[in-house]
Amino acid sequence: MENKEKDCLKEIESFDKTGFNYTLSLINGKHKLTILYAIYRHKIIRFNKLQKYLNMISHKTLSFALKELENGGLVTRKAYPQIPPKVEYSLSEKGKSFIPILYSMCEWGEQYFK
């Protein structure tokens, strides 16, 4: 195990003070990883297109998850002052830095899915 991995997994006085807990606080929740993946694939996407792409997520659930991802700094929301309203979502720099983790999860899944 690399030193970096050892540092991350070392015993800490309280779980809530770990980097692992912080990461979970940002991505834990219904469909958040799926939403991050979808936004990454599209680069910039509007709400309705995102909902159609992720057809298994309700409007309310998607809206709530996007707000949490935005509050966590992983997603950027850009609203245009027009009628009808136009809102676009994209990954923030922080969100883009999470993509290698998504790739690792994908690779792990491909390895064990078969």
mmCIF file of all heavy atoms in Angstrom, residues 76-105:
data_model
loop_
_atom_site.group_PDB
_atom_site.id
_atom_site.type_symbol
_atom_site.label_atom_id
_atom_site.label_comp_id
_atom_site.label_asym_id
_atom_site.label_seq_id
_atom_site.Cartn_x
_atom_site.Cartn_y
_atom_site.Cartn_z
ATOM 1 N N THR A 76 -21.873 23.317 -11.233
ATOM 2 C CA THR A 76 -22.125 24.737 -11.444
ATOM 3 C C THR A 76 -23.468 24.895 -12.143
ATOM 4 O O THR A 76 -23.762 24.182 -13.101
ATOM 5 C CB THR A 76 -21.014 25.353 -12.319
ATOM 6 O OG1 THR A 76 -19.769 25.157 -11.661
ATOM 7 C CG2 THR A 76 -21.242 26.818 -12.552
ATOM 8 N N ARG A 77 -24.260 25.817 -11.645
ATOM 9 C CA ARG A 77 -25.578 26.120 -12.225
ATOM 10 C C ARG A 77 -25.506 27.517 -12.816
ATOM 11 O O ARG A 77 -25.147 28.469 -12.137
ATOM 12 C CB ARG A 77 -26.638 26.066 -11.135
ATOM 13 C CG ARG A 77 -28.033 26.383 -11.585
ATOM 14 C CD ARG A 77 -28.965 26.375 -10.361
ATOM 15 N NE ARG A 77 -30.340 26.512 -10.745
ATOM 16 C CZ ARG A 77 -30.989 27.659 -10.903
ATOM 17 N NH1 ARG A 77 -30.353 28.805 -10.704
ATOM 18 N NH2 ARG A 77 -32.252 27.676 -11.262
ATOM 19 N N LYS A 78 -25.859 27.605 -14.089
ATOM 20 C CA LYS A 78 -25.858 28.903 -14.758
ATOM 21 C C LYS A 78 -27.274 29.201 -15.245
ATOM 22 O O LYS A 78 -27.815 28.483 -16.086
ATOM 23 C CB LYS A 78 -24.886 28.914 -15.932
ATOM 24 C CG LYS A 78 -24.762 30.264 -16.596
ATOM 25 C CD LYS A 78 -23.692 30.259 -17.662
ATOM 26 C CE LYS A 78 -23.580 31.657 -18.268
ATOM 27 N NZ LYS A 78 -22.579 31.687 -19.340
ATOM 28 N N ALA A 79 -27.865 30.248 -14.686
ATOM 29 C CA ALA A 79 -29.227 30.648 -15.064
ATOM 30 C C ALA A 79 -29.155 31.854 -15.988
ATOM 31 O O ALA A 79 -28.401 32.799 -15.729
ATOM 32 C CB ALA A 79 -30.037 30.979 -13.819
ATOM 33 N N TYR A 80 -29.933 31.814 -17.043
ATOM 34 C CA TYR A 80 -29.989 32.919 -17.999
ATOM 35 C C TYR A 80 -31.260 33.725 -17.747
ATOM 36 O O TYR A 80 -32.333 33.147 -17.572
ATOM 37 C CB TYR A 80 -29.994 32.380 -19.432
ATOM 38 C CG TYR A 80 -28.715 31.673 -19.800
ATOM 39 C CD1 TYR A 80 -28.546 30.316 -19.543
ATOM 40 C CD2 TYR A 80 -27.668 32.366 -20.387
ATOM 41 C CE1 TYR A 80 -27.365 29.666 -19.880
ATOM 42 C CE2 TYR A 80 -26.489 31.728 -20.726
ATOM 43 C CZ TYR A 80 -26.342 30.375 -20.470
ATOM 44 O OH TYR A 80 -25.168 29.737 -20.794
ATOM 45 N N PRO A 81 -31.144 35.050 -17.749
ATOM 46 C CA PRO A 81 -32.318 35.903 -17.482
ATOM 47 C C PRO A 81 -33.193 36.033 -18.735
ATOM 48 O O PRO A 81 -33.095 36.994 -19.481
ATOM 49 C CB PRO A 81 -31.688 37.241 -17.093
ATOM 50 C CG PRO A 81 -30.388 37.261 -17.830
ATOM 51 C CD PRO A 81 -29.937 35.830 -17.908
ATOM 52 N N GLN A 82 -34.001 35.037 -18.957
ATOM 53 C CA GLN A 82 -34.880 35.040 -20.121
ATOM 54 C C GLN A 82 -36.161 34.291 -19.805
ATOM 55 O O GLN A 82 -36.253 33.603 -18.806
ATOM 56 C CB GLN A 82 -34.182 34.403 -21.333
ATOM 57 C CG GLN A 82 -33.891 32.921 -21.156
ATOM 58 C CD GLN A 82 -33.118 32.329 -22.317
ATOM 59 O OE1 GLN A 82 -32.104 32.863 -22.718
ATOM 60 N NE2 GLN A 82 -33.603 31.234 -22.857
ATOM 61 N N ILE A 83 -37.126 34.454 -20.677
ATOM 62 C CA ILE A 83 -38.396 33.743 -20.542
ATOM 63 C C ILE A 83 -38.599 32.941 -21.818
ATOM 64 O O ILE A 83 -38.530 33.505 -22.906
ATOM 65 C CB ILE A 83 -39.557 34.730 -20.320
ATOM 66 C CG1 ILE A 83 -39.327 35.478 -19.006
ATOM 67 C CG2 ILE A 83 -40.884 33.998 -20.289
ATOM 68 C CD1 ILE A 83 -40.328 36.543 -18.702
ATOM 69 N N PRO A 84 -38.825 31.640 -21.739
ATOM 70 C CA PRO A 84 -38.846 30.830 -20.525
ATOM 71 C C PRO A 84 -37.445 30.713 -19.916
ATOM 72 O O PRO A 84 -36.451 30.893 -20.615
ATOM 73 C CB PRO A 84 -39.347 29.472 -21.010
ATOM 74 C CG PRO A 84 -38.972 29.402 -22.441
ATOM 75 C CD PRO A 84 -39.007 30.816 -22.950
ATOM 76 N N PRO A 85 -37.391 30.396 -18.622
ATOM 77 C CA PRO A 85 -36.101 30.297 -17.946
ATOM 78 C C PRO A 85 -35.199 29.244 -18.593
ATOM 79 O O PRO A 85 -35.674 28.213 -19.052
ATOM 80 C CB PRO A 85 -36.457 29.874 -16.520
ATOM 81 C CG PRO A 85 -37.896 30.185 -16.366
ATOM 82 C CD PRO A 85 -38.505 30.115 -17.726
ATOM 83 N N LYS A 86 -33.927 29.551 -18.644
ATOM 84 C CA LYS A 86 -32.931 28.619 -19.174
ATOM 85 C C LYS A 86 -31.862 28.441 -18.106
ATOM 86 O O LYS A 86 -31.265 29.411 -17.652
ATOM 87 C CB LYS A 86 -32.323 29.167 -20.460
ATOM 88 C CG LYS A 86 -31.241 28.288 -21.053
ATOM 89 C CD LYS A 86 -30.660 28.934 -22.309
ATOM 90 C CE LYS A 86 -29.478 28.123 -22.824
ATOM 91 N NZ LYS A 86 -28.858 28.775 -23.990
ATOM 92 N N VAL A 87 -31.629 27.198 -17.719
ATOM 93 C CA VAL A 87 -30.615 26.876 -16.710
ATOM 94 C C VAL A 87 -29.753 25.750 -17.253
ATOM 95 O O VAL A 87 -30.266 24.765 -17.777
ATOM 96 C CB VAL A 87 -31.261 26.453 -15.370
ATOM 97 C CG1 VAL A 87 -30.200 26.068 -14.354
ATOM 98 C CG2 VAL A 87 -32.142 27.563 -14.823
ATOM 99 N N GLU A 88 -28.443 25.921 -17.136
ATOM 100 C CA GLU A 88 -27.504 24.898 -17.585
ATOM 101 C C GLU A 88 -26.646 24.436 -16.408
ATOM 102 O O GLU A 88 -26.298 25.222 -15.535
ATOM 103 C CB GLU A 88 -26.585 25.450 -18.675
ATOM 104 C CG GLU A 88 -27.306 25.790 -19.955
ATOM 105 C CD GLU A 88 -26.383 26.402 -20.993
ATOM 106 O OE1 GLU A 88 -25.353 27.005 -20.620
ATOM 107 O OE2 GLU A 88 -26.716 26.284 -22.175
ATOM 108 N N TYR A 89 -26.321 23.151 -16.441
ATOM 109 C CA TYR A 89 -25.483 22.559 -15.406
ATOM 110 C C TYR A 89 -24.206 22.033 -16.037
ATOM 111 O O TYR A 89 -24.221 21.499 -17.140
ATOM 112 C CB TYR A 89 -26.224 21.412 -14.703
ATOM 113 C CG TYR A 89 -27.421 21.887 -13.940
ATOM 114 C CD1 TYR A 89 -28.686 21.913 -14.529
ATOM 115 C CD2 TYR A 89 -27.300 22.317 -12.629
ATOM 116 C CE1 TYR A 89 -29.794 22.371 -13.834
ATOM 117 C CE2 TYR A 89 -28.400 22.771 -11.923
ATOM 118 C CZ TYR A 89 -29.637 22.791 -12.531
ATOM 119 O OH TYR A 89 -30.723 23.253 -11.836
ATOM 120 N N SER A 90 -23.114 22.202 -15.312
ATOM 121 C CA SER A 90 -21.827 21.660 -15.734
ATOM 122 C C SER A 90 -21.033 21.318 -14.479
ATOM 123 O O SER A 90 -21.412 21.689 -13.366
ATOM 124 C CB SER A 90 -21.073 22.672 -16.598
ATOM 125 O OG SER A 90 -20.844 23.863 -15.882
ATOM 126 N N LEU A 91 -19.936 20.611 -14.672
ATOM 127 C CA LEU A 91 -19.083 20.285 -13.532
ATOM 128 C C LEU A 91 -18.197 21.481 -13.208
ATOM 129 O O LEU A 91 -17.669 22.136 -14.105
ATOM 130 C CB LEU A 91 -18.196 19.078 -13.845
ATOM 131 C CG LEU A 91 -18.886 17.738 -14.022
ATOM 132 C CD1 LEU A 91 -17.850 16.659 -14.328
ATOM 133 C CD2 LEU A 91 -19.703 17.357 -12.796
ATOM 134 N N SER A 92 -18.045 21.752 -11.943
ATOM 135 C CA SER A 92 -17.093 22.770 -11.493
ATOM 136 C C SER A 92 -15.689 22.161 -11.578
ATOM 137 O O SER A 92 -15.534 20.968 -11.887
ATOM 138 C CB SER A 92 -17.402 23.153 -10.050
ATOM 139 O OG SER A 92 -17.165 22.029 -9.218
ATOM 140 N N GLU A 93 -14.686 22.946 -11.289
ATOM 141 C CA GLU A 93 -13.324 22.405 -11.250
ATOM 142 C C GLU A 93 -13.225 21.296 -10.202
ATOM 143 O O GLU A 93 -12.573 20.279 -10.413
ATOM 144 C CB GLU A 93 -12.307 23.513 -10.979
ATOM 145 C CG GLU A 93 -12.118 24.455 -12.152
ATOM 146 C CD GLU A 93 -11.741 23.744 -13.449
ATOM 147 O OE1 GLU A 93 -10.828 22.885 -13.427
ATOM 148 O OE2 GLU A 93 -12.371 24.033 -14.489
ATOM 149 N N LYS A 94 -13.868 21.512 -9.088
ATOM 150 C CA LYS A 94 -13.887 20.494 -8.027
ATOM 151 C C LYS A 94 -14.572 19.227 -8.531
ATOM 152 O O LYS A 94 -14.111 18.109 -8.286
ATOM 153 C CB LYS A 94 -14.621 21.061 -6.803
ATOM 154 C CG LYS A 94 -14.600 20.194 -5.577
ATOM 155 C CD LYS A 94 -15.290 20.961 -4.445
ATOM 156 C CE LYS A 94 -15.359 20.219 -3.159
ATOM 157 N NZ LYS A 94 -16.020 21.017 -2.100
ATOM 158 N N GLY A 95 -15.669 19.384 -9.257
ATOM 159 C CA GLY A 95 -16.381 18.239 -9.823
ATOM 160 C C GLY A 95 -15.540 17.507 -10.856
ATOM 161 O O GLY A 95 -15.523 16.276 -10.899
ATOM 162 N N LYS A 96 -14.840 18.274 -11.683
ATOM 163 C CA LYS A 96 -13.967 17.657 -12.698
ATOM 164 C C LYS A 96 -12.848 16.855 -12.033
ATOM 165 O O LYS A 96 -12.422 15.823 -12.562
ATOM 166 C CB LYS A 96 -13.375 18.725 -13.607
ATOM 167 C CG LYS A 96 -14.391 19.342 -14.545
ATOM 168 C CD LYS A 96 -13.781 20.491 -15.328
ATOM 169 C CE LYS A 96 -14.832 21.200 -16.161
ATOM 170 N NZ LYS A 96 -14.302 22.417 -16.805
ATOM 171 N N SER A 97 -12.384 17.320 -10.890
ATOM 172 C CA SER A 97 -11.304 16.603 -10.200
ATOM 173 C C SER A 97 -11.794 15.263 -9.639
ATOM 174 O O SER A 97 -10.984 14.412 -9.282
ATOM 175 C CB SER A 97 -10.712 17.461 -9.077
ATOM 176 O OG SER A 97 -11.601 17.555 -7.979
ATOM 177 N N PHE A 98 -13.109 15.073 -9.584
ATOM 178 C CA PHE A 98 -13.681 13.814 -9.095
ATOM 179 C C PHE A 98 -13.773 12.757 -10.198
ATOM 180 O O PHE A 98 -13.929 11.574 -9.917
ATOM 181 C CB PHE A 98 -15.070 14.081 -8.499
ATOM 182 C CG PHE A 98 -15.648 12.916 -7.769
ATOM 183 C CD1 PHE A 98 -15.186 12.576 -6.512
ATOM 184 C CD2 PHE A 98 -16.644 12.146 -8.331
ATOM 185 C CE1 PHE A 98 -15.702 11.490 -5.833
ATOM 186 C CE2 PHE A 98 -17.176 11.059 -7.663
ATOM 187 C CZ PHE A 98 -16.704 10.723 -6.398
ATOM 188 N N ILE A 99 -13.645 13.151 -11.459
ATOM 189 C CA ILE A 99 -13.808 12.227 -12.584
ATOM 190 C C ILE A 99 -12.858 11.038 -12.526
ATOM 191 O O ILE A 99 -13.285 9.914 -12.804
ATOM 192 C CB ILE A 99 -13.705 12.989 -13.931
ATOM 193 C CG1 ILE A 99 -14.849 13.997 -14.041
ATOM 194 C CG2 ILE A 99 -13.695 12.038 -15.111
ATOM 195 C CD1 ILE A 99 -16.245 13.406 -13.842
ATOM 196 N N PRO A 100 -11.583 11.190 -12.152
ATOM 197 C CA PRO A 100 -10.731 9.999 -12.044
ATOM 198 C C PRO A 100 -11.278 8.954 -11.063
ATOM 199 O O PRO A 100 -11.084 7.754 -11.262
ATOM 200 C CB PRO A 100 -9.384 10.557 -11.569
ATOM 201 C CG PRO A 100 -9.384 11.965 -12.050
ATOM 202 C CD PRO A 100 -10.813 12.419 -11.948
ATOM 203 N N ILE A 101 -11.971 9.400 -10.047
ATOM 204 C CA ILE A 101 -12.582 8.458 -9.104
ATOM 205 C C ILE A 101 -13.716 7.703 -9.794
ATOM 206 O O ILE A 101 -13.861 6.491 -9.631
ATOM 207 C CB ILE A 101 -13.066 9.189 -7.839
ATOM 208 C CG1 ILE A 101 -11.874 9.804 -7.122
ATOM 209 C CG2 ILE A 101 -13.852 8.255 -6.918
ATOM 210 C CD1 ILE A 101 -12.213 10.771 -6.022
ATOM 211 N N LEU A 102 -14.511 8.409 -10.594
ATOM 212 C CA LEU A 102 -15.574 7.740 -11.360
ATOM 213 C C LEU A 102 -14.978 6.711 -12.319
ATOM 214 O O LEU A 102 -15.519 5.615 -12.477
ATOM 215 C CB LEU A 102 -16.418 8.754 -12.126
ATOM 216 C CG LEU A 102 -17.384 9.605 -11.327
ATOM 217 C CD1 LEU A 102 -18.141 10.557 -12.259
ATOM 218 C CD2 LEU A 102 -18.370 8.758 -10.551
ATOM 219 N N TYR A 103 -13.871 7.078 -12.986
ATOM 220 C CA TYR A 103 -13.202 6.137 -13.871
ATOM 221 C C TYR A 103 -12.740 4.903 -13.109
ATOM 222 O O TYR A 103 -12.902 3.771 -13.577
ATOM 223 C CB TYR A 103 -11.996 6.786 -14.556
ATOM 224 C CG TYR A 103 -12.321 7.555 -15.792
ATOM 225 C CD1 TYR A 103 -11.909 8.870 -15.932
ATOM 226 C CD2 TYR A 103 -13.036 6.989 -16.851
ATOM 227 C CE1 TYR A 103 -12.192 9.603 -17.071
ATOM 228 C CE2 TYR A 103 -13.328 7.711 -17.992
ATOM 229 C CZ TYR A 103 -12.903 9.021 -18.100
ATOM 230 O OH TYR A 103 -13.198 9.736 -19.224
ATOM 231 N N SER A 104 -12.173 5.106 -11.931
ATOM 232 C CA SER A 104 -11.723 3.969 -11.121
ATOM 233 C C SER A 104 -12.884 3.069 -10.746
ATOM 234 O O SER A 104 -12.763 1.840 -10.779
ATOM 235 C CB SER A 104 -11.022 4.458 -9.852
ATOM 236 O OG SER A 104 -9.832 5.122 -10.169
ATOM 237 N N MET A 105 -14.018 3.674 -10.412
ATOM 238 C CA MET A 105 -15.207 2.882 -10.083
ATOM 239 C C MET A 105 -15.675 2.089 -11.301
ATOM 240 O O MET A 105 -16.070 0.923 -11.188
ATOM 241 C CB MET A 105 -16.321 3.789 -9.569
ATOM 242 C CG MET A 105 -16.018 4.399 -8.220
ATOM 243 S SD MET A 105 -17.244 5.621 -7.719
ATOM 244 C CE MET A 105 -18.672 4.582 -7.475
#
